[in-house]
């Protein structure tokens, strides 16, 4: 019998980490690497970029808001018959456990009338609206005209 008890104890020790992992909190939905490239022409929109990290279930990004710009729209740059064009989008799917990048040359934000004080402060708070009801607020770093993108932020869309 002692060997049977040892075998049960060994099985318990080997399975405990798996059982504890099953109890862990699910991966959260979050947004990071947010930045805005300010347009040199105040009559032209600025562009915003970021990465959405999907959680345990698929969602849609339904919009982005800020009180530091007159208007914000989601857009996508596409090649139509050899010609690059921008198209507004109303929702972007975010599959579970994946990343969706809004990056130069792909999906991006267009921000009209960015508040000069926010540009001076170097950040713009963005509120991301998701189909599951989540609202995530992230400060976007402001990159003035001619500045390089923040380190690690210039990757193409995933």
């Amino acid at each position: 019998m002692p060997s049977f008890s040892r075998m049960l104890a060994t099985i318990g020790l080997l399975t405990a980490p798996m059982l504890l992992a099953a109890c862990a909190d699910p991966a959260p939905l979050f947004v990071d690497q947010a930045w805005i490239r300010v347009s040199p022409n105040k009559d032209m929109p600025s562009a915003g970029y970021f990465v959405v990290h999907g959680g345990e279930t698929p969602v849609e990004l339904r919009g982005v808001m800020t009180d530091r710009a007159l208007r914000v729209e989601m857009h996508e740059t596409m090649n139509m018959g050899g010609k690059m064009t921008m198209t507004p989008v109303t929702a972007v799917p975010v599959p579970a456990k994946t990343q969706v990048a809004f990056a130069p040359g792909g999906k991006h934000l267009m921000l009209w009338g960015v508040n000069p004080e926010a540009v001076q402060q170097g950040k713009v708070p963005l509120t991301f609206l998701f189909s599951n009801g989540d609202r995530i607020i992230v400060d976007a770093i402001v990159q003035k005209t001619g500045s390089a993108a923040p380190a690690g932020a210039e990757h193409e869309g995933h």
Side-chain angles (χ1 to χ4, degrees), residues 114-135:
V114 176
N115 184 313
E117 287 181 28
V119 173
Q120 191 68 21
Q121 291 172 352
K123 64 181 180 177
V124 171
L126 299 174
T127 302
F128 297 85
L129 309 170
F130 293 93
S131 58
N132 64 355
D134 283 0
R135 290 175 174 244

Side-chain angles (χ1 to χ4, degrees), residues 8-31:
L8 281 178
T10 303
I11 291 171
L13 287 174
L14 293 174
T15 59
M18 290 182 279
L19 292 172
L20 290 174
C23 296
D25 289 335
L29 170 67
F30 69 98
V31 178

Side-chain angles (χ1 to χ4, degrees), residues 29-103:
L29 170 67
F30 69 98
V31 178
D32 66 1
Q33 301 176 46
W35 61 286
I36 294 170
R37 180 172 286 147
V38 176
S39 173
N41 180 343
K42 68 179 179 84
D43 297 325
M44 297 296 292
S46 297
Y49 310 103
F50 54 90
V51 178
V52 180
H53 300 264
E56 292 293 316
T57 59
V59 294
E60 283 187 338
L61 174 60
R62 299 254 174 102
V64 181
M65 304 182 323
T66 184
D67 62 356
R68 304 299 198 295
L70 298 175
R71 187 170 93 212
V72 180
E73 292 180 4
M74 295 187 298
H75 283 235
E76 185 166 13
T77 303
M78 299 168 61
N79 187 338
M80 298 254 195
K83 201 167 158 184
M84 296 306 283
T85 178
M86 275 192 288
T87 310
V89 292
T90 56
V92 175
V94 180
K97 300 179 185 179
T98 63
Q99 294 180 14
V100 176
F102 277 55

